[in-house]
Amino acid sequence: MVFSGGGARGAYEIGVWQALIEEDYPIDLVVGTSVGAINATLVVQGDIECAKRLWMNLNNEIVVAVPERQRKIIERNVLRFYTRQFVQQQGADYTPLKNLFIENLDLKRFYASPIEFGIVTAELPGLRRRNLLKTYIPPEKLMDYVLASAACYPAFQPYVIDDMTYIDGGYFSIMPVELAKDMGATEYIAVDLKTMGIVDRAAKKLLQQDNCLVVRSAWDLGNFMDFNEITARRNIRLGYLDMRRMRGHFEGLYYAFAPGTFDHALASHRRHVKLLLRWMRMDLSREWKNPYRRLNAMPLLRQLKCYDDLFMGAAETCGRVFGVDPGEPYTLAEFNQALREKAAEAQAEQADQNNRPTPLRKLRRRLNSRQIALQLWQTMATARANRRFARFRPAATLMPKEFIAAIYLMLLHPVPGRLNRAPTEV
């Protein structure tokens, strides 16, 4: 296993590990950089409950020392807090994280584990790379070297060990898959937290090979410097579902659906699919012959380019617009029900806003994706009866995501009205 750096997004890696544990997937070797080094240590210990408990109890004040007069700053603007800490003392003091790590580190269990272990850090001065392996790290220095790999300078202070200064390993390799290869790995599961850092040429080539499975979330995992329980719980769940999806237990890109969900939907609801295709003007045999139609279709194609199944793409796009929870597996009926509830909430919010005068400075807040999609759905459902489709071409070009969401919502509710009524079964 290869764990990348990513700060507060690291909870995602614990979710991936949890999914592998449930499948009894053997892990022979684990390497990591930055927060990936901390998670790699927990994997070698083999206590998933300890790892989940540690992440779910993290917050900004547990990770770094926050002066009393700066508590409000870190609550309002994390970046401003770390910038001030760098100016005042060359980075935040992460002694609280060190103390928490001491409480959760079991040296006997770590060194008794058969799992090989390696981390990357950068040594100053000179910015030299240091690869540190389990067999060469003395027990009394393990915690120090792991935290040295996670010393994300300039946000955190550099870490000093025996008069040598170290900073985050991400300055050399944010995804140390080449270290795993040097240690003898032949197959890799690499977890990418999509954060800043260097990935060298050797690592890029390895990540593209067939024996390397790269796990990354389609969702935004949050601010990598903002540690909180809500984000940690969400990211653990996303990591778990993404790994299960990649092992064939679910399908989907943003959401986890039971396998075959959309095959059944396509077979049972061909009329709806034809309507979807017509509204989205996706008759590609003709689309590319007409320059105007080609230009009109391109924004929709970009929204759905990751999908082999158009129906799935429309469903997930609608779910993203209305904020359906991605942390649960769904059947299509369950997903549509959750979508209907979220859309009904947005409709109630829209009605409440329409009943109150809106100052000009607050008008922008109303123009969010949910409200735009609802307005399009109401207008399109009315126009459907009159067969007036052409006037929606500008909307498809300028607002493709909301346009797709409105189409899928129209399949559930062909007639405009209150969304708290039972939907059409799709």
Side-chain angles (χ1 to χ4, degrees):
M1 291 199 71
V2 182
F3 286 155
S4 77
R9 301 173 184 176
Y12 182 84
E13 296 172 337
I14 301 302
V16 172
W17 177 35
Q18 182 184 6
L20 294 176
I21 288 175
E22 291 187 4
E23 294 190 27
D24 292 326
Y25 192 90
I27 300 173
D28 301 316
L29 181 152
V30 58
V31 299
T33 294
S34 193
V35 74
I38 295 176
N39 286 335
T41 308
L42 298 172
V43 170
V44 176
Q45 285 187 189
D47 190 345
I48 182 65
E49 294 304 323
C50 172
K52 291 171 65 177
R53 186 168 58 250
L54 184 151
W55 272 100
M56 290 180 183
N57 289 330
L58 280 184
N59 58 54
N60 290 319
E61 295 184 12
I62 290 177
V63 174
V64 296
V66 182
E68 184 67 32
R69 63 183 180 278
Q70 294 187 23
R71 292 186 185 276
K72 291 184 177 180
I73 295 178
I74 197 170
E75 291 174 1
R76 296 175 182 175
N77 191 322
V78 175
L79 180 60
R80 181 182 175 188
F81 168 79
Y82 282 105
T83 303
R84 179 170 292 190
Q85 289 293 297
F86 171 70
V87 172
Q88 294 176 348
Q89 54 185 23
Q90 288 193 324
D93 176 11
Y94 49 98
T95 301
L97 177 61
K98 181 177 180 179
N99 295 333
L100 181 65
F101 195 40
I102 291 173
E103 294 175 9
N104 291 274
L105 181 61
D106 188 336
L107 290 174
K108 290 183 179 180
R109 191 167 181 173
F110 179 88
Y111 282 96
S113 171
I115 300 176
E116 293 296 323
F117 169 84
I119 58 176
V120 179
T121 187
E123 183 183 292
L124 297 176
L127 199 64
R128 292 188 296 271
R129 174 172 177 156
R130 288 286 303 275
N131 295 334
L132 301 164
L133 310 184
K134 177 182 178 181
T135 51
Y136 301 113
I137 301 176
E140 65 274 13
K141 298 292 185 182
L142 174 64
M143 175 198 65
D144 293 318
Y145 282 119
V146 170
L147 292 178
S149 177
C152 184
Y153 183 80
F156 292 161
Q157 294 174 355
Y159 202 97
V160 179
I161 306 172
D162 296 334
D163 297 327
M164 297 298 297
T165 304
Y166 299 90
I167 58 174
D168 197 297
Y171 281 94
F172 276 104
S173 181
I174 197 70
M175 177 78 78
V177 65
E178 73 284 358
L179 174 60
K181 180 184 178 182
D182 293 341
M183 293 173 66
T186 56
E187 296 182 354
Y188 318 89
I189 295 178
V191 186
D192 183 7
L193 299 180
K194 298 188 294 186
T195 190
M196 296 180 294
I198 303 299
V199 181
D200 62 23
R201 289 184 179 180
K204 288 179 180 179
K205 289 181 179 179
L206 288 170
L207 291 171
Q208 294 172 358
Q209 293 180 1
D210 294 338
N211 62 343
C212 184
L213 177 65
V214 181
V215 185
R216 61 171 62 95
S217 178
W219 294 95
D220 181 3
L221 298 178
N223 186 337
F224 75 100
M225 299 305 299
D226 189 7
F227 294 84
N228 63 80
E229 179 185 354
I230 295 174
T231 301
R233 287 181 180 273
R234 174 181 180 269
N235 288 347
I236 288 174
R237 190 63 180 166
L238 289 177
Y240 172 81
L241 291 175
D242 283 343
M243 188 69 249
R244 296 278 289 174
R245 182 187 296 110
M246 300 199 77
R247 298 289 293 171
H249 298 282
F250 297 112
E251 63 181 19
L253 181 62
Y254 288 89
Y255 295 93
F257 296 100
T261 294
F262 289 92
D263 291 339
H264 174 73
L266 287 170
S268 303
H269 301 281
R270 294 187 181 278
R271 181 176 60 85
H272 291 91
V273 177
K274 287 182 180 180
L275 177 64
L276 185 67
L277 287 167
R278 185 176 66 184
W279 269 94
M280 296 175 67
R281 310 192 61 77
M282 298 291 283
D283 184 0
L284 298 184
S285 63
R286 299 178 181 177
E287 207 67 65
W288 306 115
K289 297 178 183 179
N290 186 316
Y292 174 74
R293 287 187 175 182
R294 181 167 66 244
L295 181 65
N296 187 60
M298 284 178 68
L300 298 180
L301 292 173
R302 282 197 296 269
Q303 285 294 323
L304 300 170
K305 65 181 180 180
C306 298
Y307 294 97
D308 295 328
D309 189 319
L310 182 66
F311 199 43
M312 180 194 295
E316 290 201 339
T317 301
C318 193
R320 288 162 53 204
V321 167
F322 286 98
V324 175
D325 181 16
E328 297 295 332
Y330 294 99
T331 63
L332 188 57
E334 291 170 345
F335 180 81
N336 288 340
Q337 177 61 23
L339 176 60
R340 185 173 69 91
E341 292 172 359
K342 288 292 185 179
E345 291 176 8
Q347 192 177 46
E349 178 185 336
Q350 184 184 59
D352 181 58
Q353 291 176 346
N354 290 338
N355 291 333
R356 292 181 296 174
T358 305
L360 184 61
R361 69 178 184 275
K362 294 184 179 180
L363 183 62
R364 182 171 57 86
R365 300 178 186 176
R366 294 177 54 181
L367 300 178
N368 56 51
S369 290
R370 296 196 308 170
Q371 302 300 336
I372 292 172
L374 276 176
Q375 189 62 48
L376 280 172
W377 161 69
Q378 293 167 352
T379 308
M380 290 164 66
T382 302
R384 180 186 176 191
N386 300 325
R387 303 277 179 177
R388 295 177 180 177
F389 302 128
R391 59 175 169 166
F392 294 102
R393 290 174 183 170
T397 304
L398 299 174
M399 299 172 287
K401 185 170 66 174
E402 292 80 6
F403 182 75
I404 294 169
I407 293 172
Y408 190 81
L409 196 61
M410 191 171 64
L411 301 186
L412 299 183
H413 292 268
V415 181
R418 301 301 298 174
L419 284 165
N420 54 6
R421 296 182 294 109
T424 301
E425 187 61 36
V426 174

